[in-house]
Amino acid sequence: MRGRMKRQRLFWALAAVFAVLGTVLRAIPGMRFSGYLFWCAAVVVIVYALLDRLSAQKPAAAWGKRILLVLLAAGALLFAVMESLVLRDNDTDADGQDVTCVIILGAGVNGTEPSLMLWSRLDAALRYVADKPELPIICSGGQGPGEDITEAECMARWLTAHGVDEERIWKEERSTSTAENFDLSAEVMLQHGIDPTGNFAFVTNDYHIARAKRIAGVPWAYGVAATLPENIYYSALQLNYYIREAFAMAKLLVTGG
């Protein structure tokens, strides 16, 4: 009896810690997903604590504990598999040097300035094309909430401000998703006489490359990895995105979108 009461106190304390961590993380920009995960963990601990409390009197509760543990183990295994897929393709593809063009996948714009994620993609693209002066660049991204200009226009302005010839920059300003980035950029390629079934590179954040390749749906799309600056906050943010990406990968493989 005493041991069960001690476990109950531990469970409720753990649930409280998870709930507080979730609330704190949801208040930090970019960490909302991790906040939700901690809230979900708090709920799971509470459910397990209630089942544990009832299991001595009700056999159904004991079975509920076992089922919950099995589900958690299966979820952990699925997460490990999805995360391994994300990590396997999280670097710039060495085969992507001989390409016909490079597509920069859009990300958020704060007014008229690139967000952190978009800035990291632009920085990676600038380094990628540094030794490819003739390579066309497709800036792909429409205009979303809080954006005063399209993501493509923001990217084009940033690239020209950093010395890229505007004649080699083509804008695709209608897309609102990664799938549309690729589909509508293919139309831009055709308009400029480039075969979209040929080799092309795309720039996105390292954690997003694996899923973007599957969305592109072609074997000749080569990822160029953008990374965040190195400090404690950005490292935590990067971890948050890697965890979130495993869930997004699972959704893509199950639903196809």
Side-chain angles (χ1 to χ4, degrees), residues 104-126 139-142 147 149-156 158-159 203-205 207 226-228 241:
I104 308 175
L105 304 187
V109 172
N110 300 322
T112 61
E113 296 299 319
S115 64
L116 173 66
M117 293 302 162
L118 187 55
W119 171 85
S120 67
R121 296 180 188 188
L122 289 166
D123 182 65
L126 192 64
C139 298
S140 178
E147 299 177 344
I149 57 176
T150 65
E151 295 165 8
E153 176 63 24
C154 176
M155 288 188 271
W158 190 94
L159 290 169
V203 183
T204 190
N205 291 90
Y207 56 82
T227 57
L228 299 181
Y241 286 131

Side-chain angles (χ1 to χ4, degrees), residues 199-217:
N199 295 350
F200 65 85
F202 66 90
V203 183
T204 190
N205 291 90
D206 48 6
Y207 56 82
H208 185 231
I209 289 178
R211 185 159 58 97
K213 281 186 176 181
R214 284 163 176 80
I215 292 172

Side-chain angles (χ1 to χ4, degrees), residues 5-254:
M5 292 179 62
K6 187 176 181 180
R7 284 205 311 274
Q8 284 290 310
R9 287 195 295 268
L10 178 62
F11 289 146
W12 288 101
L14 188 60
V17 170
F18 285 162
V20 170
L21 283 173
T23 302
V24 170
L25 288 172
R26 277 188 37 82
I28 300 175
M31 300 294 289
R32 291 172 61 89
F33 184 79
S34 291
Y36 282 124
L37 282 185
F38 274 106
W39 278 355
C40 289
V43 171
V44 170
V45 172
I46 290 170
V47 171
Y48 189 86
L50 294 174
L51 291 172
D52 181 69
R53 184 175 181 179
L54 296 171
S55 61
Q57 294 82 28
K58 297 184 178 182
W63 275 105
K65 283 175 57 178
R66 296 186 186 101
I67 292 171
L68 181 57
L69 289 173
V70 169
L71 291 175
L72 289 174
L77 178 60
L78 177 61
F79 174 81
V81 172
M82 294 299 103
E83 195 65 55
S84 69
L85 295 177
V86 173
L87 292 170
R88 187 180 65 184
D89 289 326
N90 71 342
D91 204 354
T92 298
D93 198 321
D95 294 329
Q97 296 303 310
D98 184 20
V99 294
T100 56
C101 69
V102 57
I103 304 169
I104 308 175
L105 304 187
V109 172
N110 300 322
T112 61
E113 296 299 319
S115 64
L116 173 66
M117 293 302 162
L118 187 55
W119 171 85
S120 67
R121 296 180 188 188
L122 289 166
D123 182 65
L126 192 64
R127 287 184 278 108
Y128 180 74
V129 302
D131 59 350
K132 305 173 184 63
E134 304 301 321
L135 187 67
I137 303 168
I138 299 178
C139 298
S140 178
Q143 185 173 353
E147 299 177 344
D148 296 337
I149 57 176
T150 65
E151 295 165 8
E153 176 63 24
C154 176
M155 288 188 271
R157 291 182 186 182
W158 190 94
L159 290 169
T160 54
H162 286 77
V164 178
D165 184 355
E166 63 181 354
E167 294 297 321
R168 63 189 289 209
I169 300 174
W170 304 336
K171 291 184 290 185
E172 180 287 296
E173 300 182 273
R174 294 181 291 151
S175 57
T176 59
S177 67
T178 302
E180 290 182 355
N181 285 148
F182 287 118
D183 291 342
L184 297 176
S185 293
E187 294 181 8
V188 174
M189 291 184 212
L190 286 172
Q191 292 168 6
H192 289 83
I194 292 180
D195 182 1
T197 64
N199 295 350
F200 65 85
F202 66 90
V203 183
T204 190
N205 291 90
D206 48 6
Y207 56 82
H208 185 231
I209 289 178
R211 185 159 58 97
K213 281 186 176 181
R214 284 163 176 80
I215 292 172
V218 292
W220 50 83
Y222 301 104
V224 177
T227 57
L228 299 181
E230 294 184 3
N231 63 35
I232 294 177
Y233 169 66
Y234 291 142
S235 295
L237 196 62
Q238 187 89 333
L239 177 61
N240 170 79
Y241 286 131
Y242 267 98
I243 293 172
R244 187 182 72 176
E245 194 64 22
F247 287 84
M249 179 70 81
K251 178 178 179 292
L252 174 67
L253 295 179
V254 171

